[in-house]
Amino acid sequence: MYELLGEYVPTYVLHLPHKKNDEISRNLWFEEVKKFKGIVEDLTGRKITDEKLRAAIDLANRKRLALAGCTTPEKRTLCP
């Protein structure tokens, strides 16, 4: 399916190692993420830094919490 999507928009598939507790698998995953980071930086023309990434994660978490507060039904005591 991603092959078809790749014909219309830039697409990259992250290859996941089969084992998660293996040092070789962790190293492969780390290299895969670094490669993806480079592709995103080239595509956007923006450098990804630890500080910018942390700020983006914090912002996304605050948005998620704010939306959760809007969509959670109010806990009311119903009248008898």
Side-chain angles (χ1 to χ4, degrees), residues 1-13 15:
M1 184 62 125
Y2 56 85
E3 295 93 348
L4 295 173
L5 183 62
E7 294 178 12
Y8 301 99
V9 294
T11 306
Y12 183 78
V13 177
H15 299 284

Side-chain angles (χ1 to χ4, degrees), residues 5-61:
L5 183 62
E7 294 178 12
Y8 301 99
V9 294
T11 306
Y12 183 78
V13 177
L14 291 168
H15 299 284
L16 299 172
H18 294 284
K19 298 178 182 179
K20 66 178 182 178
N21 295 327
D22 180 14
E23 183 178 347
I24 293 172
S25 295
R26 280 192 303 271
N27 291 338
L28 288 172
W29 176 245
F30 183 70
E31 292 302 318
E32 187 71 16
V33 171
K34 283 188 351 186
K35 186 176 172 184
F36 180 66
K37 175 185 176 257
I39 290 170
V40 170
E41 288 176 339
D42 291 343
L43 183 66
T44 62
R46 298 178 72 180
K47 179 90 172 127
I48 298 173
T49 64
D50 290 343
E51 295 80 21
K52 288 181 182 179
L53 184 58
R54 174 54 51 201
I57 291 169
D58 290 342
L59 177 62
N61 285 338

Side-chain angles (χ1 to χ4, degrees), residues 56-70:
I57 291 169
D58 290 342
L59 177 62
N61 285 338
R62 287 195 312 272
K63 286 181 181 179
R64 181 179 43 79
L65 288 173
L67 287 174
C70 293

